[in-house]
Amino acid sequence: MKKKIVRRKTAAPRAAKKTEKKSFLLMLKSWMFVVMVALMLGIGAIIGNFLNMEMSASTPQVAGVTIEAK
């Protein structure tokens, strides 16, 4: 008796579009995260400078000495 030859089919290659789409979305999300962090830091700096100016206006100083307002 002759042995049967078994041929195995290889799995079809996966579509490249899915990996491209996945990597694109990952890159887009990471850049959105970077932009949001930069915006939050910028807004925090602006608010911090504003509050610092308001607090320094209420307690005036000249050469490090506090001046009493009468």
Side-chain angles (χ1 to χ4, degrees), residues 4-47:
K4 289 184 179 178
I5 298 173
V6 178
R7 294 188 184 205
R8 296 182 184 173
K9 290 185 178 180
T10 58
R14 294 184 181 179
K17 289 182 180 180
K18 288 184 180 179
T19 56
E20 281 182 21
K21 191 173 184 180
K22 213 174 196 181
S23 63
F24 175 73
L25 287 176
L26 181 65
M27 188 176 66
L28 182 65
K29 287 180 185 179
S30 62
W31 273 108
M32 285 173 55
F33 177 74
V34 169
V35 168
M36 289 305 295
V37 168
L39 285 174
M40 287 191 308
L41 286 173
I43 290 172
I46 291 170
I47 292 173

Side-chain angles (χ1 to χ4, degrees), residues 40-61:
M40 287 191 308
L41 286 173
I43 290 172
I46 291 170
I47 292 173
N49 283 338
F50 175 75
L51 292 175
N52 189 21
M53 285 177 17
E54 291 297 316
M55 290 182 74
S56 66
S58 63
T59 57
Q61 290 184 350

